[in-house]
Amino acid sequence: MEGIYLVHLMVMVLSLGLLAGALCQVDDGSDNETTAVYIITLKQAPASHYYGKLRKNTNVFKHGVPRNPNQFHNRRDNSRSNWSSSSYVARVHDSLLRRVLRGEKYLKLYSYHYLINGFAVLVTPEQASKLSRRREVANVALDFSVRTATTHTPQFLGLPQGAWVKAGGYETAGEGIVIGFVDTGIDPTHPSFADDISLNSYPVPSHFSGVCEVTRDFPSGSCNRKLIGARHFAASAITRGIFNSSQDYASPFDGDGHGTHTASVAAGNHGIPVIVAGHCFGNASGMAPRAHVSVYKALYKSFGGFAADVVAAIDQAAQDGVDVLSLSITPNRRPPGIATFFNPIDMALLSAVKAGVFTVQAAGNTGPSPKSMSSFSPWIFTVGAASHDRVYSNSIILGNNVTIHGVGLAPGTDEDTMLTLVSALHAVNNETTVTTDMYVGECQDSSNFNQDFIEGNLLICSYSIRFVLGLSTIKQAVETAKNLSAAGVVFYMDPFVIGFQLNPIPMSVPGIIIPSPDDSKVLLQYYNSSLERNGTTKQITKFGAVASILGGLKANYSNSAPKVMYYSARGPDPEDSFLDDADILKPNLVAPGNSIWAAWSSLGTDSVEFQGENFAMMSGTSMAAPHIAGLAALIKQKFPSFSASAIASALSSTASLYDNNGGPIMAQRAYANPDLNQSPATPFDMGSGFVNATAALDPGLIFDSSYDDYMSFLCGINGSSPVVLNYTGQNCLSYNSTINGTDLNLPSITIAKLYQSRTVQRSVTNIAGNETYKVGWSAPYGVTVKVVPARFSIASGERQVLSVFFDAIMNSSIASHGRIGLFGDQGHVLNIPLSVIVKIDARQLKEENGNPMKFDKINAKKGLGEMKNLPPFPNIPIPGIPFPQFPPPPPFDIPNVPPLPDFPFPPIPSPLSPPA
């Protein structure tokens, strides 16, 4: 049977265009030996390190602002589509496998050649060991699993009056930019991805060389001038025998919904009507509605995905020529080894950054615990999830004049008519059903109930943990109510569902869900106290409780926002599996991720409540990441020569620190009752702050880092030299000096361990006109800070080095935070978050112990910095600099415009585990 399976598997892989190697059929007696997928990296550098005008030093500002915006970076001049080395590299891989595994059974799944020189292969551990001993082989890594981690948000971000205006209007916003998505695929029939809604010409960018697969599920003509690339990658999943072609679709088609949703958030067409359950919720638009979309499906509904497939997708996307790459995925476990940065996905993305691709990744939905971050590396732009100001609320008015608030995207009943309430438990056909079917109160089967009791009345149903698990659904309960001719449906929360966050769910009949167990008790007490019973038989003779439902279709825009959502993963960034802290700030910033309306696949099954709909409301960092991908496309459109780190700098340094009421952005701290458990957000919650789309298009100054900087950082990790060589083919000895994370030229400063004193430098480049900047700062608690110079004038294209002096004045292991503000006289304002975790004041230790404190050389080198005995520095304001703390700017630095009817945009349906 196994032989039949393997032959069948080979046919499947060949038919999908996935097989790059050969299946050896010789039976070596190892059929019963466990096989697994391994990612093998060879020592020879990949194609991207040799071909194309790749910037080995990506600091495009080194000699000033380029006159020709493309002179530094046109990585597509090499005509990659005609580059024939890929077949040669695949033959080299095949030859190696044949020589090492002569006469043995194996299955090569992919040949990677653009970002990584290597391949994915299904072999036994013994065979993997044989490969690891070959001198050509640099690294052998076991494959691992991964998981998936609008209408009003354009208005909330100020795009119609700000960023879109700067891009020439929504008709041209993102034009010429290609955004790649590694996700669950796409529904090509959705109007969000049509290319015929504008009269303007819509040429495919010449630098893009991708193709569209053609299958039965994804027929010829699925792609157009908007959706210009589509492939799928599933070889690793197929080898495990878990790929279900009827459910997962062996094509780029999205059978889940998640990928269609994320793609439309970033680049969906402008002005697409959002109609769900027969109700209109406004018109949707992506952040960069004129950008092009290319899809690389590597995630699937039934099992998630695997690193081997994701790396193949990333490799292909970079080779095709995408400008921005969005990954709403996170690993299922923290990568093992000496540092979290050394894993196949992050290292492939490092090569993508070298090739000029700006990469965005969801932070993960594992918050609010510290160190819950699932995106690690400094070359990846990590995005957390925040709320926005739109809320859909519903309420029910009881006959005793008590109003109970709830949720539900549903119409209301006639306001002037009070309708009778009838519990499902009191309307069963057979009273024994209540004892034999403990879930009958969830209203999943209309045959259980007597229509005479329910017709024209409000049916009361219970909402239990089974709804959370998908065993029962709101949609089915609504169908039951409709079949019984109920006037509406009311759900009360089962008392055993504790701390559950319920989001608005569409209903085609009047309805409401009461998410609070306490409010549910109020409803049931009123209902039970209003029942009239026969004094002898105790049978119900009259249902006395009445109520009316106000409805939840109208959005309210008065909510205080943004706030960091409870599920959004938090820093500090874990450097290794021992949870040591990295000197890297994560997340980079936060963006709208809660209650996001966006396109949905016609066959999407990720949310039962939105099956068959064209739009869905979802929440998670998965929804936040594509917001940034779309905004990055706008920046790339305006500044074609920007490196990936320059785009990251523009987004981070201009982020807002304040909500729409002028107060500090808050962060939810608990899963249960999150709005009652919140406090001001720190950089470990929100990174640099909440994205400011308009300001990011005019940042003034840029912090830029190069590929060589990242290599110096990796080589600076103790014991990393062989690992760096394994992954990149480059020797750390070729780097004269190494640096740690604190010394990377990032628009933030994070110090995991401050031993007494440290000096950190940052270099900024002026991409605007001549300007004079004042510098202000607030120091982290337990630390003094001084910035030199405190004032500087900088001409267009010039660079300025800032020296930041830190001095610990207490011993503490509790993280504290501060900020540096750069305030230009032409209106540019930049914010640099400061975070210091462990603070060690050796002077105090001497006084306490009578002996100087000793520390080992490794820790001193690793990040404790220069041990200069600097005197304590004053906090801002610096004498002579008339600048107090950061002055609260107007929210998001954009006009306070009332919400347009074009973009009404509601809240979420995935309660326990919002999509990443």
Side-chain angles (χ1 to χ4, degrees), residues 516-847:
S516 162
D518 291 337
D519 288 341
S520 296
K521 287 179 183 177
V522 172
L523 168 71
L524 295 178
Q525 286 171 356
Y526 165 68
Y527 172 79
N528 288 325
S529 66
S530 302
L531 291 173
E532 296 182 13
R533 297 180 180 269
N534 183 288
T536 306
T537 65
K538 304 300 181 184
Q539 294 289 319
I540 297 174
T541 58
K542 182 181 179 182
F543 297 102
V546 293
S548 65
I549 299 172
L550 296 186
L553 298 177
K554 188 176 180 180
N556 183 304
Y557 297 93
S558 61
N559 205 34
S560 177
K563 65 179 63 173
V564 182
M565 299 307 298
Y566 62 91
Y567 52 78
S568 186
R570 310 297 167 90
D573 186 13
E575 183 176 82
D576 51 41
S577 55
F578 299 105
L579 294 182
D580 289 332
D581 299 317
D583 296 313
I584 305 293
L585 179 62
K586 291 291 179 179
N588 292 81
L589 50 62
V590 293
N594 201 61
S595 307
I596 306 298
W597 278 123
W600 196 245
S601 174
S602 56
L603 299 177
T605 58
D606 188 39
S607 173
V608 175
E609 310 302 345
F610 290 98
Q611 277 187 335
E613 302 287 357
N614 279 334
F615 283 86
M617 181 187 292
M618 304 294 288
S619 288
T621 55
S622 275
M623 285 65 247
H627 277 85
I628 297 303
L631 297 177
L634 301 183
I635 297 173
K636 187 70 174 177
Q637 180 187 19
K638 182 176 180 181
F639 301 102
S641 64
F642 264 22
S643 66
S645 63
I647 296 174
S649 172
L651 288 162
S652 295
S653 63
T654 59
S656 175
L657 306 174
Y658 304 94
D659 66 17
N660 53 1
N661 294 319
I665 293 174
M666 304 297 282
Q668 296 176 337
R669 302 291 179 192
Y671 183 79
N673 301 313
D675 283 333
L676 300 180
N677 293 279
Q678 59 183 22
S679 60
T682 74
F684 289 161
D685 302 313
M686 65 175 180
S688 294
F690 184 79
V691 63
N692 183 334
T694 304
L697 286 171
D698 184 20
L701 303 175
I702 286 296
F703 299 76
D704 202 29
S705 298
S706 70
Y707 174 81
D708 282 351
D709 292 334
Y710 297 132
M711 288 295 294
S712 295
F713 157 68
L714 292 175
C715 289
I717 297 171
N718 189 42
S720 66
S721 293
V723 186
V724 172
L725 180 64
N726 289 347
Y727 271 112
T728 67
Q730 295 179 253
N731 197 318
C732 283
L733 294 176
S734 63
Y735 292 89
N736 296 325
S737 62
T738 60
I739 59 176
N740 61 23
T742 301
D743 295 318
L744 281 169
N745 196 40
L746 304 175
S748 61
I749 299 176
T750 302
I751 303 177
K753 292 180 182 178
L754 175 62
Y755 182 86
Q756 195 56 69
S757 303
R758 172 140 195 196
T759 302
V760 178
Q761 290 190 329
R762 288 293 183 266
S763 173
V764 294
T765 304
N766 186 7
I767 63 164
N770 299 349
E771 195 161 3
T772 297
Y773 284 84
K774 294 179 181 179
V775 184
W777 62 85
S778 60
Y781 181 71
V783 179
T784 61
V785 171
K786 182 179 181 180
V787 185
V788 176
R791 178 190 180 100
F792 61 91
S793 296
I794 184 169
S796 177
E798 285 191 350
R799 294 172 64 243
Q800 172 70 50
V801 175
L802 301 174
S803 295
V804 186
F805 302 95
F806 293 84
D807 189 49
I809 55 174
M810 66 182 297
N811 296 305
S812 172
S813 60
I814 300 174
S816 55
H817 308 276
R819 295 193 180 273
I820 296 173
L822 306 179
F823 305 92
D825 60 6
Q826 299 302 308
H828 295 109
V829 177
L830 290 86
N831 132 61
I832 308 167
L834 310 176
S835 300
V836 181
I837 303 176
V838 176
K839 296 163 278 286
I840 302 171
D841 183 357
R843 294 166 297 202
Q844 288 189 23
L845 290 172
K846 282 183 182 181
E847 294 172 3

Side-chain angles (χ1 to χ4, degrees), residues 47-385:
S48 66
H49 289 220
Y50 292 117
Y51 291 89
K53 296 180 180 177
L54 302 177
R55 296 161 299 166
K56 196 162 187 184
N57 180 352
T58 59
N59 187 354
V60 302
F61 314 107
K62 188 172 182 180
H63 304 292
V65 178
R67 294 181 182 178
N68 176 359
N70 293 311
Q71 76 181 75
F72 292 103
H73 178 40
N74 185 353
R75 56 188 165 81
R76 282 94 194 203
D77 288 350
N78 58 347
S79 300
R80 277 187 313 223
S81 57
N82 297 323
W83 155 241
S84 61
S85 75
S86 59
S87 59
Y88 168 76
V89 172
R91 291 196 299 272
V92 170
H93 297 164
D94 294 339
S95 175
L96 174 63
L97 284 166
R98 283 194 296 269
R99 293 196 311 272
V100 177
L101 306 179
R102 188 183 304 275
E104 299 180 20
K105 186 186 300 180
Y106 62 86
L107 176 65
K108 193 184 78 173
L109 310 179
Y110 298 106
S111 270
Y112 310 124
H113 78 279
Y114 192 71
L115 299 179
I116 292 177
N117 181 10
F119 51 88
V121 61
L122 178 70
V123 291
T124 66
E126 181 182 346
Q127 290 172 317
S129 179
K130 287 182 183 180
L131 287 166
S132 70
R133 293 194 292 268
R134 294 289 298 192
R135 57 185 175 82
E136 305 100 313
V137 172
N139 192 50
V140 176
L142 184 65
D143 194 14
F144 57 89
S145 60
V146 296
R147 59 190 171 193
T148 55
T150 38
T151 58
H152 173 63
T153 44
Q155 180 64 32
F156 185 63
L157 294 173
L159 300 185
Q161 301 80 28
W164 283 350
V165 172
K166 292 188 175 186
Y170 71 81
E171 299 92 344
T172 58
E175 191 167 273
I177 305 300
V178 182
I179 306 177
F181 298 88
V182 179
D183 214 299
T184 64
I186 196 166
D187 182 349
T189 66
H190 200 284
S192 290
F193 311 112
D195 66 351
D196 57 359
I197 65 170
S198 172
L199 297 178
N200 298 331
S201 61
Y202 203 9
V204 174
S206 59
H207 68 253
F208 185 76
S209 59
V211 301
C212 283
E213 286 183 21
V214 175
T215 69
R216 184 181 62 183
D217 306 315
F218 209 83
S220 177
S222 294
C223 286
N224 52 38
R225 290 169 297 168
K226 173 76 172 179
L227 174 58
I228 59 176
R231 297 175 183 251
H232 87 287
F233 303 83
S236 184
I238 290 172
T239 63
R240 300 163 191 266
I242 61 175
F243 187 88
N244 183 336
S245 59
S246 62
Q247 179 180 345
D248 296 316
Y249 298 98
S251 76
F253 185 82
D254 183 9
D256 179 280
H258 189 271
T260 300
H261 197 277
T262 57
S264 71
V265 168
N269 285 326
H270 180 271
I272 306 302
V274 178
I275 299 174
V276 175
H279 311 302
C280 183
F281 293 97
N283 299 318
S285 174
M287 301 298 102
R290 192 69 170 171
H292 301 272
V293 172
S294 187
V295 170
Y296 304 87
K297 178 179 174 181
L299 296 168
Y300 299 84
K301 168 62 179 174
S302 60
F303 56 84
F306 296 96
D309 296 326
V310 172
V311 170
I314 294 169
D315 190 72
Q316 188 62 59
Q319 184 178 354
D320 288 348
V322 302
D323 299 288
V324 177
L325 189 59
S326 178
L327 296 94
S328 289
I329 61 173
T330 56
N332 279 323
R333 58 180 174 86
R334 189 168 286 114
I338 64 170
T340 51
F341 320 117
F342 294 114
N343 67 81
I345 293 177
D346 283 36
M347 297 309 291
L349 290 174
L350 175 59
S351 289
V353 168
K354 182 178 182 180
V357 181
F358 178 74
T359 60
V360 188
Q361 186 177 24
N365 295 332
T366 48
S369 302
K371 300 187 186 184
S372 53
M373 185 58 53
S374 297
S375 176
F376 315 106
S377 299
W379 52 86
I380 300 171
F381 199 82
T382 305
V383 186

